[in-house]
Amino acid sequence: VRYGMIYLKLLLAFFQIGLFSIGGGYAALPLIQNQVVQIHGWLTMDEFADIITISQMTPGPIAINSASFVGARIAGIWGALVATLGCVLPSFIIVLCFAFLYKKYRNLRYVQGVLKSLQPAVVGLIASAGVAIVSQVLWHGDLFEFQVSAIDWIAVVIMLICILLLRRFKLNSIYVMLGAGAVGGLIYTMF
């Protein structure tokens, strides 16, 4: 019975995430954080940041990877399957419905207006997730509890070097992630 409830909670939590994460995986990050860290307490914020990092490095969409990792962490392989199913099921149903409606009504001005108005909301969700992860990684706390003494200067330097390598020198993001992981692993094991 205990695992049955866990599976049901995982399914419902990730169904909600899948249902309301308009805009893709990055837009789902604040929703995933809310469900797994704040509402259910399945993970700490540090564990959540680690899972997001792993989800970024593994192939596939970040929301589905996160669902799989959280499900596996909470209830093993069946938990991973249930959480992943919960995450993809709303999209599957919605895409089927929207495909039918879009094909029928795509030339209406109102449909184009609704699609255009969703763009700022998606950007806001992505920015929110980015700020939450950066604040957790750089000073291990909430954005509104910022203290200069709590800044992890090693993480700041690694982040700035990665941004420079990605934006200025246009290096492949895979190589930058691998390099940052190797440098961070080396530095953090020494200190």
Side-chain angles (χ1 to χ4, degrees):
V1 175
R2 176 176 148 9
Y3 273 107
M5 285 304 292
I6 290 293
Y7 295 144
L8 182 60
K9 286 181 180 179
L10 280 169
L11 181 71
L12 292 176
F14 280 97
F15 187 88
Q16 289 176 17
I17 291 165
L19 187 61
F20 295 110
S21 60
I22 297 170
Y26 293 107
L29 292 180
L31 301 174
I32 296 170
Q33 176 189 348
N34 185 47
Q35 286 288 337
V36 303
V37 176
Q38 291 153 349
I39 292 176
H40 295 288
W42 289 326
L43 302 175
T44 65
M45 193 57 194
D46 285 336
E47 291 171 325
F48 175 73
D50 291 342
I51 283 184
I52 296 305
T53 303
I54 293 168
S55 297
Q56 284 282 30
M57 294 188 316
T58 54
I62 190 169
I64 294 172
N65 289 346
S66 298
S68 300
F69 289 132
V70 170
R73 170 87 162 67
I74 302 307
I77 188 73
W78 289 106
L81 292 172
V82 168
T84 303
L85 176 67
C87 192
V88 299
L89 193 58
S91 299
F92 179 74
I93 294 167
I94 290 169
V95 166
L96 283 179
C97 294
F98 278 162
F100 171 77
L101 293 173
Y102 183 74
K103 185 173 181 176
K104 190 171 182 176
Y105 300 111
R106 69 177 162 238
N107 295 325
L108 290 178
R109 188 177 62 182
Y110 298 112
V111 172
Q112 296 301 318
V114 167
L115 294 175
K116 197 115 178 117
S117 68
L118 287 174
Q119 291 172 350
V122 170
V123 170
L125 285 171
I126 293 170
S128 170
V131 168
I133 290 173
V134 165
S135 67
Q136 182 63 33
V137 170
L138 298 185
W139 58 83
H140 306 290
D142 190 9
L143 176 65
F144 301 108
E145 297 174 5
F146 174 74
Q147 295 178 9
V148 175
S149 62
I151 293 176
D152 182 349
W153 291 106
I154 295 170
V156 170
V157 170
I158 291 172
M159 181 188 75
L160 292 174
I161 290 170
C162 289
I163 290 170
L164 178 72
L165 293 173
L166 290 168
R167 303 302 289 168
R168 173 98 171 148
F169 297 105
K170 309 286 188 221
L171 288 182
N172 187 319
S173 58
I174 294 171
Y175 299 138
V176 173
M177 282 192 298
L178 290 173
V183 169
L186 184 66
I187 291 172
Y188 284 108
T189 55
M190 290 173 35
F191 293 106

